[in-house]
Amino acid sequence: DQQVKQNSPSLSVQEGRISILNCDYTNSMFDYFLWYKKYPAEGPTFLISISSIKDKNEDGRFTVFLNKSAKHLSLHIVPSQPGDSAVYFCAASAPSGTYKYIFGTGTRLKVLA
Amino acid sequence: DVKVTQSSRYLVKRTGEKVFLECVQDMDHENMFWYRQDPGLGLRLIYFSYDVKMKEKGDIPEGYSVSREKKERFSLILESASTNQTSMYLCASSFRPPEQYFGPGTRLTVT
């Protein structure tokens, strides 16, 4: 049973426009959410995170929104750049309290120049 | 800069071989993790370790074991490699939430 879901396997956006990547989760006990970016042949790199006590966190061009009632989070990238083309994974911290994370299946973002 | 290194980028092994994947981190992190990444399945946790000689099973530990004799090194062992263990293997380390720092990955092919 997939506790963290990214229902869009891919997304294409024009350079300069907004990219919105979505993630849904099923366990209301998750208390931390993260987004990672992964280029081919490289390991994922941490992008941005949000605690369950917040509904928004911003870092430069990246903003993560959390809607706890809908069990939904989204990553907004504004403006999108060709270098943002990568696979994006969302992850949620397992409620056991250890530093375990459950990852979604990823969304491949392609930013078109 | 945190550095997580993995012993091989690409590895080809035969069915039934014992395979060792090594991971080393240079930031004195307590926590280390092994994941595998497969298309359509995302990253799945195999094992993690929160201290030397301590380990816990992740979501898919079957067919794998791990060893952590030193804080900086975390090894993943495939006792008898099978073709369904062909995958990208990613090691990560962390000190505290939220970040995990990942290595570049090892693409293992079992023939």
Side-chain angles (χ1 to χ4, degrees):
Chain A
D1 183 29
Q2 194 80 25
Q3 295 189 65
V4 178
K5 299 179 188 178
Q6 293 175 258
N7 292 317
S8 298
S10 64
L11 176 69
S12 290
V13 171
Q14 284 294 132
E15 181 179 6
R17 305 295 291 267
I18 184 171
S19 295
I20 301 177
L21 296 96
N22 294 304
C23 182
D24 297 297
Y25 61 95
T26 57
N27 192 332
S28 57
M29 298 297 290
F30 288 144
D31 57 3
Y32 227 102
F33 302 89
L34 303 87
W35 285 95
Y36 282 85
K37 178 166 77 172
K38 186 180 184 302
Y39 292 119
E42 292 183 16
T45 53
F46 170 75
L47 201 53
I48 192 168
S49 65
I50 188 166
S51 162
S52 61
I53 62 172
K54 296 188 172 182
D55 53 20
K56 178 182 173 182
N57 189 25
E58 204 168 344
D59 184 1
R61 295 186 298 114
F62 302 92
T63 303
V64 56
F65 295 93
L66 176 62
N67 182 334
K68 286 187 290 293
S69 60
K71 295 193 182 73
H72 177 84
L73 67 154
S74 60
L75 174 69
H76 292 210
I77 306 173
V78 185
S80 302
Q81 298 173 354
D84 296 328
S85 297
V87 177
Y88 290 78
F89 292 97
C90 68
S93 68
S96 63
T98 61
Y99 301 147
K100 280 177 62 175
Y101 291 95
I102 298 172
F103 284 79
T105 53
T107 296
R108 183 176 302 278
L109 173 66
K110 187 180 276 188
V111 180
L112 307 168
Chain B
D1 260 7
V2 176
K3 194 148 189 188
V4 179
T5 55
Q6 295 183 228
S7 50
S8 306
R9 295 300 300 270
Y10 301 94
L11 212 49
V12 180
K13 295 291 181 182
R14 292 192 182 276
T15 303
E17 276 193 80
K18 191 167 186 175
V19 182
F20 293 85
L21 302 181
E22 301 280 330
C23 175
V24 177
Q25 50 97 0
D26 66 356
M27 282 302 290
D28 204 36
H29 287 168
E30 276 91 16
N31 307 295
M32 296 188 75
F33 307 80
W34 275 106
Y35 294 88
R36 62 179 282 177
Q37 182 198 356
D38 300 287
L41 296 175
L43 277 71
R44 293 180 293 165
L45 182 64
I46 305 171
Y47 267 97
F48 70 101
S49 168
Y50 49 90
D51 203 349
V52 175
K53 296 194 188 292
M54 307 301 286
K55 61 186 179 188
E56 274 200 37
K57 293 179 181 178
D59 300 317
I60 49 164
E62 297 78 19
Y64 303 94
S65 62
V66 289
S67 170
R68 190 149 180 221
E69 297 296 320
K70 292 186 178 181
K71 195 173 187 181
E72 68 269 19
R73 189 179 296 269
F74 191 34
S75 303
L76 179 70
I77 303 152
L78 285 66
E79 298 291 342
S80 176
S82 64
T83 54
N84 63 12
Q85 292 179 309
T86 291
S87 186
M88 168 70 84
Y89 289 88
L90 292 159
C91 173
S93 74
S94 76
F95 173 55
R96 56 169 174 257
E99 297 108 290
Q100 290 184 337
Y101 296 89
F102 283 84
T106 296
R107 183 162 293 284
L108 172 68
T109 302
V110 182
T111 61

